[in-house]
Amino acid sequence: MSLTMTNPAIILPTKSIGTLLPTSPSNNQQKSPSSSTMSFVTSSPEIFSKICEYLTPIDIFKLSRVCKQYRNFLCTPSSTTYQNIWRTSRMKFLTYPQLPPPQGMDEKNYIKILIYDKSCEFCGNSDPGSSRLYWEFRVRCCDKCLLKRTKTHEDLEKSAGIPVDVIDTLPCVWIRGGAFAVPVHRYYWIDNIKSTTKEYSLLKGKDRKNWLLKKKEQHKKYMAEVSQYYFEDQKQWNEMYKKQRNC
């Protein structure tokens, strides 16, 4: 089973950030490197943010792994400063992606899932081509992990506890098996099924009807957004293919 869509990316050459990273202290200087780092970040967040404007996303990922303080500063989704640092770097240094992060995804994870980490986020399989990006579920995973975490439309129809109207409000991936003779199946993310079914079960009568109408409208917008990201991925792939042919 496979999808034809792939998601290549262009990454501009990165520069060293060696002068920004703390050097390893000598035996005579091992006092408290973390405290000095924390002091710099907390006392001069504006300066730290300004420095990050000159770093590519890959450099910022490296910086976030230097110490706990840098990681906390650069990897806090609720921080506006954090979001701006990653957004500025993406727009300044990357030609792809051009679209902003999809609903429910922050800037760091958006760059990570597209550029920085092409491995399955569940099993860690990093073999080339082993994992794919499923915008419907906002995940990158291999076929094996996808099947573990999804159910087909046929499975859901057999389940007495899930009305068909509820199924129609869920995002799904359309997948054809390895041969054209194999029918296309719709796969639904199990966590989405559980949360949506629970939400529906708490409602009754007219509230359920209004809920379904609202969910179906949200579903249309959600899947329209998904199509935009697949379109951008395909456009990027086409451009890279043309460049390879011209080489």
Side-chain angles (χ1 to χ4, degrees):
M1 178 185 68
S2 63
L3 291 179
T4 57
M5 187 75 70
T6 57
N7 300 286
I10 295 176
I11 306 177
L12 301 181
T14 62
K15 296 182 180 180
S16 171
I17 58 173
T19 56
L20 180 62
L21 308 185
T23 56
S24 299
S26 62
N27 293 333
N28 296 329
Q29 296 177 326
Q30 291 183 359
K31 292 183 179 180
S32 181
S34 60
S35 62
S36 61
T37 299
M38 187 61 180
S39 177
F40 168 67
V41 174
T42 56
S43 63
S44 308
E46 296 83 5
I47 296 177
F48 186 80
S49 299
K50 194 67 178 178
I51 292 172
C52 289
E53 290 182 9
Y54 298 91
L55 302 180
T56 68
I58 301 302
D59 286 336
I60 298 178
F61 271 110
K62 293 177 181 178
L63 184 61
S64 69
R65 299 176 67 180
V66 169
C67 63
K68 183 178 180 180
Q69 285 72 29
Y70 282 178
R71 184 169 65 254
N72 289 341
F73 187 82
L74 293 168
C75 304
T76 304
S78 59
S79 169
T80 303
T81 302
Y82 150 88
Q83 292 285 355
N84 289 337
I85 287 174
W86 290 98
R87 183 183 302 109
T88 299
S89 181
R90 172 177 63 82
M91 296 178 68
K92 185 176 181 179
F93 293 102
L94 300 181
T95 59
Y96 164 83
Q98 292 293 315
L99 291 172
Q103 177 185 350
M105 184 178 290
D106 59 58
E107 285 281 350
K108 170 183 169 285
N109 287 323
Y110 183 45
I111 297 170
K112 179 181 178 181
I113 203 173
L114 277 172
I115 309 295
Y116 189 69
D117 190 354
K118 298 296 184 69
S119 62
C120 173
E121 59 185 80
F122 301 104
C123 70
N125 188 346
S126 58
D127 294 339
S130 62
S131 65
R132 291 177 175 80
L133 226 174
Y134 297 97
W135 287 114
E136 293 86 348
F137 309 138
R138 311 297 199 239
V139 300
R140 180 184 287 278
C141 65
C142 63
D143 291 347
K144 185 177 180 180
C145 289
L146 178 72
L147 293 178
K148 284 183 179 179
R149 290 166 172 80
T150 57
K151 286 187 177 182
T152 65
H153 190 273
E154 290 78 10
D155 292 334
L156 294 180
E157 284 184 322
K158 295 176 184 177
S159 175
I162 308 177
V164 176
D165 285 342
V166 175
I167 298 175
D168 292 339
T169 68
L170 298 169
C172 66
V173 173
W174 296 73
I175 297 179
R176 186 188 298 275
F180 285 105
V182 179
V184 175
H185 293 283
R186 283 177 280 176
Y187 288 81
Y188 298 81
W189 200 249
I190 291 176
D191 287 346
N192 289 345
I193 297 170
K194 290 180 178 179
S195 60
T196 304
T197 302
K198 181 179 180 180
E199 190 176 347
Y200 177 80
S201 65
L202 296 175
L203 302 172
K204 293 182 179 181
K206 188 176 179 180
D207 290 337
R208 282 188 173 182
K209 184 178 180 180
N210 293 334
W211 180 88
L212 284 170
L213 291 173
K214 182 179 179 180
K215 280 289 184 179
K216 287 180 179 179
E217 187 62 30
Q218 291 175 347
H219 175 71
K220 288 181 181 179
K221 294 180 179 179
Y222 186 91
M223 295 307 292
E225 182 186 59
V226 166
S227 298
Q228 291 178 10
Y229 288 93
Y230 277 126
F231 178 79
E232 185 180 41
D233 291 345
Q234 188 62 51
K235 181 180 178 182
Q236 175 67 13
W237 172 251
N238 292 341
E239 290 176 358
M240 291 190 67
Y241 180 71
K242 289 179 182 179
K243 289 181 179 179
Q244 291 176 355
R245 290 190 62 182
N246 294 330
C247 290

